[in-house]
């Protein structure tokens, strides 16, 4: 596992914003494909879970980004 995480860290270090945008589009697309396979009966629970995950991941990302944008974030 350490090797996988180390290679992911290296990928991020070598990537620019365009590479990361492509990753996000890829993940979004696979999410749509998976979402198309969910039955009507299960959609409400999936929507709730997706909303919770989105909220829990979006807030820290935006806090970090806004810190960088205002110049108050950590220097890499």
């Amino acid at each position: 596992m350490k090797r996988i995480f180390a290679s992911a860290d290296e990928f991020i270090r070598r990537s620019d914003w365009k590479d990361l945008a492509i990753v996000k589009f890829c993940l979004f697309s696979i999410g749509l494909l998976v979402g198309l396979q969910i039955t009507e009966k299960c959609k409400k629970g999936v929507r709730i879970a997706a909303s919770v995950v989105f909220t829990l991941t979006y807030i820290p990302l935006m806090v970090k980004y806004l810190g960088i944008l205002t110049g108050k974030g950590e220097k890499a």
Side-chain angles (χ1 to χ4, degrees):
M1 281 305 265
K2 288 183 182 181
R3 185 167 182 237
I4 292 172
F5 290 140
S7 66
D9 288 339
E10 184 60 27
F11 175 81
I12 294 297
R13 273 192 285 282
R14 293 184 186 187
S15 298
D16 61 3
W17 69 270
K18 293 174 246 168
D19 297 321
L20 297 177
I22 291 170
V23 170
K24 288 180 183 254
F25 277 114
C26 178
L27 292 173
F28 175 73
S29 298
I30 195 70
L32 282 176
L33 291 171
V34 169
L36 291 172
Q37 301 302 315
I38 296 172
T39 63
E40 287 296 324
K41 185 171 94 172
C42 298
K43 284 190 179 182
K44 184 177 181 180
V46 171
R47 283 186 187 128
I48 292 170
S51 297
V52 168
V53 170
F54 173 79
T55 303
L56 292 176
T57 56
Y58 185 75
I59 292 172
L61 288 171
M62 286 300 103
V63 167
K64 181 177 180 176
Y65 176 70
L66 291 174
I68 291 169
L69 191 63
T70 61
K72 296 177 184 174
E74 296 179 20
K75 303 290 184 202

